[in-house]
């Protein structure tokens, strides 16, 4: 037996949204009115949350309705109330009212946004009626801010509202809404004047109203499309004027698009859509440059550009128009000759026959008056192959005919026809279409002269022979045309594959972020076989070369043989052979990649700058904290000691003790200031060491001279190689490390050792103190890190300064465990090999 709750949970609750065009139009009032109507019909309705904002009429509508008590949430010492979703689910009414869908819940609530609470209620099978204003939709947030000057902090994704089962627009004329405001029905009296002169101006309200209507119109349009698909309705319903322009990629595309834009402007709210059909074999036969220009023109005219694939252009255009529920299609007059139009018809005629209820607007243009220059007339073959083809077209048929005629067999017409047909196919493979057609004509004359009666004459004795010769020429021409077309398709396929491979490589390099400007210009030069390529950047002084490949190409865009714009301040200049029109798409892809690389570089520089500023800000904050605390300590001690010295009657012993205190505090203060100055110099790059070959026997004894021999043990073999260092800076680093080690060594002597390696010399400072956990060792080299050190007299800068100086010397510093307990600091310095050899 299935429980009632399980049956209920299988059903998802419906969502009804009351969409307000502006605050105060009465969406909450309308929602409460709907709740009362449903209660009168016997529906179980409860109020989850309703905000009355002190409005009298809204409060009256709320009276008598069952309200689920809100849940209290404590946040930062204050108690807030939010909708109790769990209690509503437990109550499980048929319908729940949830006001202000875009509301953000108090931290600590069940969900971050109230929209998520609504989703939970719907998942429990409860119908939800909610409200939201148009200014709270995420996609319109920036538009509303530009209109009203007020940024909405709480937003809801458009998808949440679009997914509603029902949307009710609550609207009111701007003047009527302002009267409601003036009567005190929306805000308190003290806020009325300010609201009427700012947010609730007539212009603002009119713009918000238009936004709401347009947004809802799109939602209604989506619903209409869903309904047509669900009911398999193929014919269009002219609910909105949509004009589809068929773009062929020819020179007439601009004329058609501008005509479509003018027609769209005559109907308010009309849409302009351009569609370009690609052959289903994926080969790019149209002029890509013209297609790109058409795409840019559509964007400038406020339309959208679409590319579809289909075997039949007419069917593809009509299918697209039906899919978008178009009301008109604009097609250009055919540019083909009369003979082709007579036998094959035109695309416009075919579209008109398939359009059905969609109007077809046939537009004439300048290109329709002249004969179409077919693109296949421009052979993709090299001049050498075309020349060989033309020679074979005249020589090969006569050679084969003469060879067969030498057999002196009068019944060789069939064999000669096949041989000469094969010669036409061979010529088509070598030289293309027109040499092959010429070979067919020459073969016709050869057959007529040598193999038909009367022999050795161009006269035709029988009609049957004439028919045979005409059929031969027709078959030869057809076969040659097919062979030539297949050859062209193969060439286009190779080109398309090369372009696809190049563009795929570009996409892969963009995603991995490996390319640099130098790498891009090098790839451009290699891909297009150019002599040189330069990336030029516009500056205040003119154009500068940012990256270059090959010999000097150009220092100004006008000096390049081919130029492509990257952005407003960058241009790629190519020097070399002119590029084909088909290369433009790949070159544009390189330009796009260049812009991405430059943008990535700018973002990286900003990130580094921001990281530097963040680090400097953290250092400044820590410095202020240190100055306010650690530096005040020795100053306070000195001030106390000086005050003691100024008192009359102080004994000689006390005076001496006070002087020693002043001296010790002054030394402490001096060390602290030295550390701060060193840190500042390191961060600004002012420390520039003077590197020279030095012996550690000269440096280390001075660095540990301030400690007794029973506290520090120095063990440096005489065979230790020289190191390349600055002795003064190295002494400061070692002294700093030894001071830290002595401070934590617990009375056990600190050992200072030296160990030679093939490329470096390690200075090792070993203590038997408490050590430092491995997870904190890297952190202890950061400024102002004490790591639990509660002793006074330090800012936590010693190790940070030591690492900075070590890196300036070209060395490294690291921390390791001391066997038996403690910490070992390893200072690696580069060997001065030349000095050792000397």
């Amino acid at each position: 037996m299935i429980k009632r709750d399980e049956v209920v949970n299988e059903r998802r609750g419906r969502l009804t949204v009351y969409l307000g065009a502006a605050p105060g139009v009465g969406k909450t009032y309308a929602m409460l009115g709907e709740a009362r109507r449903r209660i009168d019909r016997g529906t179980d309705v409860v109020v989850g949350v309703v905000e009355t904002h002190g409005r009298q009429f809204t409060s009256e509508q709320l009276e008598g309705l069952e309200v689920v008590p809100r849940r209290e949430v404590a946040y930062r010492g204050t108690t807030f109330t939010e909708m109790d979703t769990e209690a509503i689910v437990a109550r499980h009414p048929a319908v729940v009212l949830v006001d202000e869908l875009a509301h953000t819940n108090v931290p600590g609530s069940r969900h971050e946004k109230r929209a998520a609470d609504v989703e939970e209620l719907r998942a429990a099978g409860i119908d939800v009626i909610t409200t939201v204003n148009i200014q709270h939709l995420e996609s319109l947030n920036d538009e509303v801010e530009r209109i009203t000057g007020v940024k909405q902090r709480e937003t809801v994704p458009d998808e949440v509202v679009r997914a509603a089962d029902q949307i009710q627009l609550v609207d009111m004329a701007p003047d009527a809404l302002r009267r409601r405001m003036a009567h005190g029905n929306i805000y308190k009296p003290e806020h009325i004047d300010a609201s009427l002169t700012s947010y609730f101006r007539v212009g603002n309200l009119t713009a918000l109203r238009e936004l709401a209507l347009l947004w809802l119109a799109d939602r209604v349009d989506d619903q209409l499309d869903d309904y047509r698909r669900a009911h398999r309705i193929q014919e269009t319903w002219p609910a909105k004027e949509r004009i589809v322009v068929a773009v062929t990629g020819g020179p007439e595309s601009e004329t058609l698009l501008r005509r479509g834009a003018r027609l769209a402007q005559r109907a308010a709210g009309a849409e302009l859509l351009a569609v370009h059909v690609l052959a289903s074999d994926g080969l790019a036969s149209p002029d890509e440059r013209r297609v790109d220009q058409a795409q840019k023109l559509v964007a400038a005219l406020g339309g959208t550009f679409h590319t579809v694939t289909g075997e039949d252009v007419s069917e593809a255009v009509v299918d697209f128009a039906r899919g978008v529920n178009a009301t008109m299609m604009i097609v250009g007059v055919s540019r083909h000759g009369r003979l082709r139009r007579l036998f094959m018809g035109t695309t416009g005629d075919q579209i008109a026959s398939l359009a059905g209820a969609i109007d077809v607007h046939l537009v004439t243009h300048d290109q329709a008056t002249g004969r179409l220059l077919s693109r296949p007339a421009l052979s993709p073959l090299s001049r050498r192959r075309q020349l060989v083809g033309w020679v074979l077209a005249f020589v090969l048929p006569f050679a084969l005919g003469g060879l067969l005629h030498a057999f002196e067999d009068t019944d060789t017409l069939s064999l000669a026809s096949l041989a000469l047909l094969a010669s036409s196919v061979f010529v088509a493979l070598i030289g293309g279409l027109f040499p092959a057609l010429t070979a067919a004509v020459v073969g016709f004359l050869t057959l007529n002269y040598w193999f038909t009666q009367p022999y050795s004459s161009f006269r035709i004795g029988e009609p049957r022979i004439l028919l045979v010769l005409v059929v031969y020429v027709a078959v030869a021409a057809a076969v040659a045309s097919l062979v030539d077309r297949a050859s062209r398709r193969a060439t286009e396929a190779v080109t398309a594959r090369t372009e696809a491979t190049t563009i795929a490589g570009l996409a892969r390099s963009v995603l991995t972020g490996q390319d640099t400007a130098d790498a891009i210009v090098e790839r451009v030069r290699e891909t297009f076989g150019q002599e040189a390529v330069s990336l030029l950047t516009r500056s205040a002084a003119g154009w500068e070369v940012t990256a270059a490949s090959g010999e000097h190409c150009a220092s100004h865009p006008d000096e390049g043989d081919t130029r492509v714009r990257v952005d407003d301040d960058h241009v790629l200049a190519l020097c070399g052979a002119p590029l084909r029109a088909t290369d433009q798409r790949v070159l544009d892809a390189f330009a796009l990649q260049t812009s991405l690389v430059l943008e990535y570089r700018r973002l990286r520089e900003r990130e580094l700058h921001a990281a530097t500023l963040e680090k400097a800000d953290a250092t400044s904050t820590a410095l202020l904290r240190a100055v306010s605390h650690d530096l005040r300590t020795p100053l306070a001690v000195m001030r106390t000691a000086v005050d003691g010295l100024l008192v009359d009657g102080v004994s000689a012993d006390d005076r001496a003790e006070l002087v020693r205190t002043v001296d010790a505090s002054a030394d402490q203060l001096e060390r602290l200031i030295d550390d701060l100055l060193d840190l500042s110099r390191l961060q600004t790059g002012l420390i520039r060491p003077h590197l020279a070959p030095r012996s550690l026997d000269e440096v280390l004894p001075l660095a540990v001279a301030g400690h007794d021999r029973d506290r520090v043990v120095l063990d440096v073999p005489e065979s230790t190689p020289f190191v390349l260092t600055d002795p003064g800076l190295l002494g400061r680093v070692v002294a700093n490390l030894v001071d830290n080690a002595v401070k934590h060594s617990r009375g056990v002597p600190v050992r200072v050792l030296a160990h030679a390696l093939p490329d470096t010399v390690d200075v090792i400072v070993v203590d038997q103190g408490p050590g430092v956990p491995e997870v904190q060792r890297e952190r202890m080299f950061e400024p102002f890190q004490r790591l639990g050190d509660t002793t006074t007299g330090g800012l936590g800068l010693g190790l940070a300064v030591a690492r900075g100086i070590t890196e300036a010397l070209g060395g490294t510093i690291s921390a390791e465990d001391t066997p038996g307990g403690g910490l070992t600091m390893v200072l690696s310095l580069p060997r001065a090999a030349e000095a050792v050899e000397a």
Side-chain angles (χ1 to χ4, degrees):
M1 182 177 180
I2 301 177
K3 296 181 180 180
R4 177 181 179 275
D5 290 343
E6 295 177 350
V7 175
V8 171
N9 290 338
E10 290 178 357
R11 172 189 173 274
R12 181 172 175 80
R14 290 174 55 84
L15 177 62
T16 301
V17 177
Y18 279 83
L19 179 64
V25 293
K27 62 184 184 305
T28 303
Y29 186 90
M31 177 182 68
L32 293 173
E34 173 65 18
R36 289 188 174 277
R37 286 189 292 273
R38 296 198 182 197
I39 291 174
D40 293 340
R41 294 195 299 266
T43 305
D44 183 14
V45 180
V46 300
V47 176
V49 58
V50 167
E51 304 291 348
T52 63
H53 299 291
R55 298 168 187 169
Q56 177 183 355
F57 298 111
T58 304
S59 300
E60 292 175 355
Q61 279 284 83
L62 186 60
E63 292 179 0
L65 299 180
E66 180 183 350
V67 179
V68 177
R70 300 190 187 188
R71 184 169 60 92
E72 294 185 351
V73 179
Y75 179 66
R76 292 186 176 181
T78 306
T79 302
F80 300 89
T81 61
E82 293 288 357
M83 181 176 68
D84 195 339
T85 305
E86 295 182 1
I88 296 173
V89 173
R91 168 67 172 75
H92 209 287
V95 180
V96 61
L97 308 184
V98 180
D99 203 7
E100 298 184 359
L101 180 64
H103 172 74
T104 301
N105 294 328
V106 176
S109 301
R110 185 181 182 88
H111 298 289
E112 180 182 357
K113 302 286 290 187
R114 185 168 289 172
D117 293 317
V118 169
E119 286 300 310
E120 182 178 349
L121 295 173
R122 295 181 65 195
I126 302 173
D127 293 345
V128 178
I129 304 178
T130 187
T131 65
V132 68
N133 280 333
I134 193 68
Q135 69 265 23
H136 294 295
L137 296 180
E138 184 66 44
S139 66
L140 301 179
N141 188 257
D142 55 343
E143 294 290 340
V144 173
E145 183 180 2
R146 278 194 292 268
I147 292 170
T148 64
V150 178
K151 183 175 181 60
Q152 302 297 326
R153 301 297 179 184
E154 294 184 326
T155 59
V156 62
D158 291 40
E159 293 76 12
V160 175
V161 182
R162 285 188 180 274
D165 300 279
Q166 184 178 357
I167 300 178
Q168 295 285 348
L169 178 63
V170 183
D171 190 16
M172 182 176 292
D175 291 337
L177 183 58
R178 286 170 59 86
R179 284 195 297 271
R180 286 195 63 191
M181 171 72 71
H183 293 160
N185 294 331
I186 300 178
Y187 292 150
K188 295 180 179 180
E190 58 269 22
H191 300 305
I192 293 177
D193 292 338
S195 299
L196 288 175
T197 57
S198 56
Y199 193 96
F200 285 83
R201 289 182 297 178
V202 174
N204 292 354
L205 297 177
T206 303
L208 291 176
R209 191 182 192 191
E210 183 177 3
L211 280 178
L213 292 173
L214 291 175
W215 189 92
L216 191 60
D218 290 338
R219 172 67 168 78
V220 173
D221 196 53
D222 293 340
Q223 289 180 332
L224 178 61
D225 291 340
D226 293 341
Y227 181 83
R228 291 176 60 237
R229 281 193 295 267
H231 292 78
R232 299 180 180 179
I233 299 174
Q234 298 296 329
E235 62 272 12
T236 59
W237 288 359
K240 184 178 183 179
E241 194 74 19
R242 287 185 179 86
I243 300 175
V244 173
V245 180
V247 176
T248 62
E252 75 280 2
S253 299
E254 181 177 349
T255 302
L256 302 182
L257 291 171
R258 295 190 184 279
R259 179 65 60 85
R262 288 196 296 270
L263 293 174
Q265 291 172 359
R266 296 174 184 175
E271 292 183 12
L272 176 67
L273 302 94
V275 58
H276 174 62
V277 181
L278 289 177
S280 58
D281 55 11
L283 299 178
S285 56
D287 190 334
E288 295 295 336
R289 180 171 296 183
R290 291 189 181 275
V291 173
D292 292 339
Q293 292 175 352
Q295 187 170 359
K296 295 176 182 177
L297 179 59
V298 171
L301 295 174
T304 56
F305 191 91
H306 306 267
T307 301
V308 298
T309 303
E311 296 181 359
D312 185 271
V313 174
S314 303
E315 291 182 358
V317 172
V318 174
D319 289 343
F320 174 80
R322 287 175 177 168
V324 298
N325 202 23
T327 56
M328 180 185 297
M329 288 184 289
I330 295 181
V331 184
V333 174
S334 176
R335 295 177 290 150
H336 295 292
R338 295 181 180 178
L339 186 61
R340 178 167 178 174
R341 292 200 297 264
L342 178 62
F343 288 99
M344 301 184 63
T346 65
T347 302
D349 296 336
Q350 296 172 4
I351 290 177
S353 64
L354 297 172
I358 306 177
D359 295 337
V360 178
H361 196 78
L362 198 61
V363 178
T364 186
H365 46 85
D366 295 338
Q367 289 74 23
T369 59
R371 183 63 60 92
L372 174 67
L373 179 60
S374 179
R375 292 190 67 203
L378 305 175
S379 176
L381 302 177
S382 64
R383 291 177 179 245
R384 182 177 179 181
R385 285 187 59 178
Q386 293 183 59
L387 179 60
V388 173
W390 282 111
V391 173
L392 291 176
F394 289 99
V395 175
L396 189 59
F398 277 118
L400 287 175
L403 180 63
L404 294 174
H405 180 67
F407 290 111
E408 297 182 353
D409 187 354
T410 58
D411 192 19
T412 57
L413 178 61
S414 300
L415 178 60
S417 299
L418 292 175
L420 294 177
L421 180 62
S423 70
S424 298
V425 174
F426 181 74
V427 171
L429 291 173
I430 299 297
L433 177 62
F434 290 107
L437 295 177
T438 303
V441 174
V442 174
F444 169 85
L445 297 175
T446 301
L447 289 175
N448 184 25
Y449 187 80
W450 273 323
F451 301 101
T452 63
Q453 296 180 356
Y455 298 110
S456 301
S457 173
F458 289 108
R459 290 187 298 110
I460 299 175
E462 300 180 18
R464 179 178 62 85
I465 299 301
L466 177 61
L467 178 62
V468 171
L469 295 177
V470 170
V471 170
Y472 161 76
V473 172
V475 171
V479 172
S481 176
L482 291 175
V483 170
D484 178 73
R485 180 174 296 183
S487 177
R488 291 175 182 275
R489 293 302 188 189
T491 302
E492 292 176 352
V494 172
T495 302
R497 183 176 62 184
T498 303
E499 290 182 359
T501 303
T502 303
I503 294 176
L506 289 176
R508 185 165 51 250
S509 61
V510 169
L511 292 176
T512 56
Q514 297 174 348
D515 269 349
T516 62
D518 293 325
I520 289 176
V521 295
E522 179 65 24
R523 292 178 64 184
V524 171
R525 187 179 67 84
E526 294 176 353
T527 301
F528 299 105
Q530 297 292 295
E531 297 176 1
V533 178
S534 297
L535 174 61
L536 305 178
T537 303
R538 189 200 308 271
S539 64
W543 290 92
E544 298 177 354
V545 178
T546 301
S549 176
E551 299 180 358
H552 177 72
C553 174
S555 56
H556 192 278
D558 295 337
E559 298 176 4
D561 297 320
T562 304
R563 299 172 298 277
V564 60
R565 175 181 175 275
V566 176
D567 53 35
D568 293 338
D569 297 321
H570 295 87
V571 173
L572 277 173
L574 287 69
C575 296
L579 300 183
R580 299 172 299 174
T582 54
D583 293 333
Q584 186 63 37
R585 180 171 56 183
V586 180
L587 186 58
D588 290 340
F590 273 106
L592 176 60
Q593 185 197 21
T594 305
S595 66
L596 293 176
V597 169
L598 294 175
E599 181 64 20
Y600 174 74
R601 178 191 293 179
R602 285 192 291 267
L603 292 177
R604 184 170 54 189
E605 291 175 353
R606 292 179 183 176
E607 182 181 4
L608 292 175
H609 182 64
T612 303
L613 293 178
E614 183 179 359
K615 184 177 180 180
D617 181 68
T619 302
S620 300
T621 302
L623 178 60
L624 290 175
R625 188 182 304 116
V627 170
S628 63
H629 181 269
D630 296 83
L631 293 181
R632 291 176 63 90
T633 301
L635 286 174
V637 173
M638 293 172 63
R639 180 61 182 269
T640 303
V642 170
D643 290 342
L645 291 172
L646 296 176
V647 176
D648 295 333
V650 178
S651 63
D653 293 339
D654 291 340
R655 184 176 296 275
E657 181 64 27
L658 291 174
V659 170
R660 285 193 293 271
T661 301
V662 171
D663 183 65
S665 298
D667 291 340
Q668 179 184 352
L669 185 60
E670 184 179 8
R671 288 194 300 272
L672 295 176
I673 294 176
D674 287 342
D675 286 342
L676 289 174
L677 291 176
D678 287 340
L679 179 64
S680 176
R681 294 191 187 101
L682 287 170
Q683 291 181 341
T684 55
L686 294 179
I687 291 183
R688 296 182 177 87
H690 300 285
L691 302 179
R694 297 292 183 181
S695 172
L696 292 179
D697 289 334
E698 303 175 7
V699 179
L700 297 185
L702 296 177
V704 301
H707 300 280
D708 298 335
R709 293 186 177 182
D710 60 341
R711 302 290 301 274
V712 178
V713 177
L714 183 61
D715 184 6
V716 179
E718 295 182 357
S719 60
T720 303
F722 280 38
V723 295
L724 190 64
T725 188
D726 183 317
L729 295 178
L730 177 59
R732 291 204 56 186
V733 173
V734 175
N736 195 314
L737 298 179
V738 171
D739 288 343
N740 277 344
V742 170
K743 186 188 303 181
H744 299 93
S745 63
R746 299 175 180 176
V748 179
V750 173
R751 292 179 296 155
V752 180
L753 313 173
H755 179 64
L757 296 174
D759 299 321
T760 61
V761 175
D762 290 347
V763 178
I764 304 171
V765 180
V766 183
D767 70 63
Q768 300 290 329
V772 176
E774 184 176 357
V775 294
Q776 294 184 351
R777 288 177 191 167
E778 194 62 28
R779 182 185 167 196
M780 69 182 182
F781 289 102
E782 298 177 2
F784 305 105
Q785 299 297 325
R786 303 286 290 273
L787 298 183
D789 182 11
T790 58
T791 60
T792 61
L795 295 175
L797 295 178
L799 292 180
V801 172
R803 168 169 280 190
I805 295 176
T806 302
E807 292 176 351
L809 294 173
T812 60
I813 186 171
S814 60
E816 302 175 357
D817 282 329
T818 299
L823 191 67
T824 297
M825 304 298 291
V826 180
L827 176 63
S828 296
L829 300 170
R831 290 182 56 167
E834 296 180 358
V836 174
E837 292 174 359

